[in-house]
């Protein structure tokens, strides 16, 4: 069993924190059959109209990235970053240092009430995935003045 330090130990909004943290929230085991990297950095901005997620996915094309909504209110950003061939072709050179991560990645976020899950939009530009989840319009209470008699 391999262990990977969790990158979201202090992120209670992420479902990764609650579902895979150990009792101390320090390390979590990776499944041998499907290791998932959680090193994808995501910014979550809430505007009056929508929730906007931006994920840095350098080297990942849009065909390798997936955006899903599951269980009615969970946003899942996943995909795979392929590793370049480590061995040089026919003596073209050898890698001296490999620091960029590769493999599968996944981040899960529980969306708050009022999100329009049927209108989620996603776009990819220059290695940045942007997911927009519109919010329902908040109805302002109607205030009516009542005349006081007497």
């Amino acid at each position: 069993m391999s262990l990977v330090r969790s990158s979201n130990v202090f992120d209670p909004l992420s479902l990764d924190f609650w579902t895979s943290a150990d009792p101390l929230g320090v390390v979590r085991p990776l499944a041998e059959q499907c290791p998932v990297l959680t090193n994808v950095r995501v910014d979550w901005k809430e505007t009056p109209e929508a929730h906007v997620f931006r994920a840095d996915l350098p080297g990942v094309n849009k065909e390798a990235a997936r955006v899903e909504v599951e269980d009615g209110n969970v946003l899942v950003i996943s995909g795979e970053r392929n590793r370049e061939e480590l061995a040089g072709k026919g003596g073209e050179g050898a890698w001296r240092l490999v620091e960029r991560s590769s493999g599968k990645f996944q981040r899960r976020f529980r969306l708050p009430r009022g999100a329009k899950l049927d209108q989620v939009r996603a776009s990819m530009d220059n290695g940045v995935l942007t997911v927009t989840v519109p919010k329902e319009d908040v109805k302002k209470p109607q205030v009516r003045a009542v005349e006081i008699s007497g």
Side-chain angles (χ1 to χ4, degrees):
M1 176 169 69
S2 61
L3 296 176
V4 171
R5 185 166 298 278
S6 181
S7 64
N8 54 359
V9 171
F10 300 108
D11 184 6
L13 295 175
S14 172
L15 285 180
D16 294 334
F17 174 81
W18 300 107
T19 59
S20 61
D22 68 358
L24 299 176
V26 179
V27 294
R28 64 179 178 80
L30 289 176
E32 278 80 16
Q33 70 273 20
C34 183
V36 176
L37 306 173
T38 59
N39 61 352
V40 174
R41 303 290 184 211
V42 178
D43 296 334
W44 179 355
K45 177 181 176 182
E46 182 176 0
T47 67
E49 298 83 28
H51 295 276
V52 181
F53 297 84
R54 287 194 178 93
D56 287 337
L57 302 177
V60 177
N61 59 21
K62 71 179 186 177
E63 290 79 23
R66 294 179 61 184
V67 176
E68 300 172 321
V69 177
E70 65 180 30
D71 294 333
N73 68 338
V74 177
L75 176 70
V76 180
I77 299 172
S78 62
E80 186 169 4
R81 181 179 296 126
N82 294 323
R83 179 181 298 265
E84 293 181 36
E85 185 61 39
L86 290 179
K89 296 179 183 175
E92 291 180 11
W95 290 96
R96 297 292 183 192
L97 179 65
V98 178
E99 292 184 337
R100 295 181 300 154
S101 62
S102 62
K104 295 181 181 183
F105 59 86
Q106 183 180 72
R107 291 294 304 271
R108 300 163 57 89
F109 300 92
R110 184 180 311 276
L111 295 170
R113 292 182 188 170
K116 294 181 178 180
L117 302 176
D118 57 336
Q119 297 179 15
V120 175
R121 297 181 317 272
S123 64
M124 185 94 121
D125 186 33
N126 291 329
V128 178
L129 174 68
T130 302
V131 180
T132 305
V133 182
K135 294 165 61 175
E136 291 179 358
D137 296 330
V138 178
K139 295 182 180 179
K140 296 181 181 179
Q142 288 185 329
V143 178
R144 177 176 67 87
V146 176
E147 187 176 321
I148 302 173
S149 63

